[in-house]
Amino acid sequence: MLGFLIAAAAGFFTPQLEGPVAGPIVKVLEGYFPVAPNERRLIAFMVALLAAALLAVLLESGTVFGVIFGAILGYFGTRIFNLLKKTIEGRRDAE
């Protein structure tokens, strides 16, 4: 369960890692091949997921599925929350 929570946090904080973490990695990679601007967030997500997986292994907590599922939910968490909120508010308005 702890691995799931760590991965969810990693997914949630991916946009904040885009500049300080993905930026230097992109600079190094661009010396070898071009990196598209929209790939910066993907690189940040991969680094966050790798860090979450390492923490889950070190803490002996979580399964591969739990870590991946947590990262996906964390990454799309605010969008999922807003969708659920809109759905609930829509049902209240219909009553």
Side-chain angles (χ1 to χ4, degrees):
M1 183 68 179
L2 185 58
F4 172 82
L5 295 175
I6 291 169
F12 181 76
F13 288 113
T14 294
Q16 288 79 15
L17 298 174
E18 199 170 334
V21 175
I25 294 171
V26 167
K27 286 181 184 177
V28 170
L29 292 177
E30 284 179 332
Y32 299 100
F33 54 85
V35 178
N38 61 347
E39 292 176 327
R40 292 175 73 92
R41 178 131 334 154
L42 174 63
I43 292 170
F45 182 69
M46 289 187 306
V47 171
L49 187 55
L50 181 61
L54 288 173
L55 278 173
V57 167
L58 290 174
L59 296 173
E60 298 179 3
S61 175
T63 63
V64 173
F65 178 77
V67 170
I68 292 172
F69 190 65
I72 291 169
L73 284 180
Y75 187 82
F76 293 108
T78 54
R79 296 178 201 179
I80 294 169
F81 177 77
N82 289 335
L83 176 66
L84 292 174
K85 185 178 172 183
K86 183 187 273 186
T87 302
I88 292 170
E89 288 174 355
R91 288 186 181 179
R92 286 185 190 160
D93 293 341
E95 291 176 356

